[in-house]
Amino acid sequence: MLEITQRIQEEATRLLQDGKVDVVIGYHLGSDEEEVSPCFVIKEPQATNLVFNEHCTHNLAKYLVGREGYLTSHFRPSDELPRVAVVAHPATLRAIAGLIQEHQFKREDLIILGVVDGSQVGVEPDVEVGRIEEDSEERKELLTRIRELEDMSVSERREYWQREFSKCIRCYACRQVCPFCYCEQCIADENQPQWIGKSPSLPNNEMWNLIRAFHLTGRCIACRECDRVCPMQIPLSLLNEKLAAEVLENFGYVAGTDVETAAPLDTYKVDDPDDFIR
Ligand code: SF4
Ligand code: SF4
């Protein structure tokens, strides 16, 4: 990981020195070695603060779009795009591909310093700054838990999710951290009409969590950041990845692996075998 840190620092310094970018989005150390947080480097000497280690899980694609997005504001007049470089691990690379596919920005708007693991991603980095191993143990564990849920009866499964959703305190951390939750006005914040009741009761929580899951079906690129930040430890990845498995089985589609093809629930075919379209 030290080598990756070094490569990131070198590339960031070079890009800022040559005036190729206005900001490099990466990670820096928090209060101790085990804590990192996203950072925005705009001056060349700060590039030596950049790090990469196993705690760098945040999906930095989050900072590329929306009102706070570094591709839409901050460093340049409003009619000019800021020039941005971003450190991207494999999930961030998938998120960037998904966001390009959703027309949030263009590939050429961005310089990607990629940390790859050999998994399929929809964009190639401009510079490969390192390689890491895919955490296959974590993935296996998740798939086992999904199978356990599939083996339950419908009522057991419903009980399981009701138990989990009843813990939700509606802090919206899951939404705030997700690169694909970029709506200017979230359905959860609307009050005329109010689609989702705001108080954290079970029916309202079910509505919130299920609407969010469906909005992300076929778009979620499995970074698991929503799961990581949920203060109530609700296993959101179980839901997201079960839906991803359904999308793969029914449509042969994996989010974040293709910048051309829209997610199955974002599109339609006039020759769809079902009759809802006619
Ligand atoms: S982060 Fe967890 S507790 Fe907060 S709104 Fe999302 S699911 Fe609910
Ligand atoms: S829903 Fe969760 S796992 Fe999926 S892209 Fe958003 S933050 Fe990542």
Side-chain angles (χ1 to χ4, degrees):
M1 294 280 186
L2 265 180
E3 268 176 34
I4 303 180
T5 292
Q6 209 173 349
R7 277 300 306 282
I8 290 171
Q9 291 181 359
E10 282 165 10
E11 289 299 330
T13 306
R14 186 178 58 78
L15 288 167
L16 289 161
Q17 221 164 37
D18 297 349
K20 294 252 170 65
V21 296
D22 300 302
V23 59
V24 180
I25 307 177
Y27 304 93
H28 68 174
L29 286 182
S31 49
D32 63 51
E33 291 278 321
E34 299 207 342
E35 242 183 59
V36 292
S37 56
C39 72
F40 309 94
V41 174
I42 53 173
K43 294 206 168 78
E44 186 199 317
Q46 298 167 344
T48 51
N49 295 335
L50 289 162
V51 294
F52 193 85
N53 62 31
E54 66 276 23
H55 305 295
C56 296
T57 58
H58 317 67
N59 195 330
L60 301 180
K62 175 70 192 174
Y63 299 106
L64 301 176
V65 289
R67 271 172 299 181
E68 309 91 20
Y70 279 73
L71 278 172
T72 51
S73 62
H74 291 263
F75 300 103
R76 311 280 280 184
S78 56
D79 58 340
E80 285 180 36
L81 280 178
R83 297 161 307 169
V84 175
V86 65
V87 175
H89 56 51
T92 307
L93 290 168
R94 290 195 298 277
I96 290 171
L99 291 167
I100 292 172
Q101 193 286 312
E102 293 183 8
H103 309 290
Q104 294 306 305
F105 50 83
K106 297 193 177 99
R107 175 64 188 85
E108 57 269 28
D109 294 339
L110 197 61
I111 293 180
I112 305 174
L113 307 179
V115 181
V116 299
D117 66 359
S119 61
Q120 202 188 349
V121 290
V123 287
E124 288 296 319
D126 295 281
V127 184
E128 188 180 303
V129 287
R131 280 194 165 255
I132 51 173
E133 295 284 319
E134 200 179 359
D135 191 345
S136 51
E137 280 312 305
E138 197 185 20
R139 172 123 202 99
K140 258 193 237 155
E141 200 185 303
L142 187 70
L143 293 178
T144 308
R145 289 183 69 197
I146 290 176
R147 264 180 227 117
E148 283 167 6
L149 273 179
E150 287 170 342
D151 287 343
M152 290 179 184
S153 68
V154 172
S155 59
E156 284 170 334
R157 229 178 294 156
R158 184 161 173 79
E159 251 174 60
Y160 173 86
W161 283 113
Q162 286 190 329
R163 223 175 18 251
E164 292 299 337
F165 293 153
S166 66
K167 298 188 226 158
C168 177
I169 54 170
R170 307 291 291 284
C171 64
Y172 300 128
C174 50
R175 174 186 74 184
Q176 295 313 108
V177 82
C178 178
F180 291 92
C181 278
Y182 55 71
C183 291
E184 292 258 318
Q185 169 127 50
C186 174
I187 188 170
D189 294 333
E190 283 181 16
N191 57 14
Q192 283 187 342
Q194 186 173 63
W195 299 102
I196 308 174
K198 290 186 186 297
S199 59
S201 65
L202 179 59
N204 291 346
N205 294 353
E206 276 189 303
M207 189 75 126
W208 157 243
N209 281 282
L210 292 179
I211 286 182
R212 181 165 183 276
F214 279 117
H215 281 185
L216 288 154
T217 301
R219 300 171 66 226
C220 165
I221 47 70
C223 65
R224 300 190 203 146
E225 279 301 280
C226 48
D227 207 321
R228 185 180 70 82
V229 298
C230 176
M232 305 314 289
Q233 282 89 44
I234 299 170
L236 298 168
S237 290
L238 279 184
L239 195 55
N240 295 333
E241 299 230 8
K242 168 65 180 157
L243 288 168
E246 292 291 328
V247 168
L248 178 62
E249 192 183 321
N250 288 290
F251 303 101
Y253 185 87
V254 180
T257 58
D258 176 0
V259 294
E260 302 295 338
T261 314
L265 302 192
D266 282 357
T267 186
Y268 66 91
K269 288 185 178 160
V270 284
D271 57 351
D272 193 288
D274 281 336
D275 60 8
F276 73 96
I277 205 83
R278 286 185 270 273

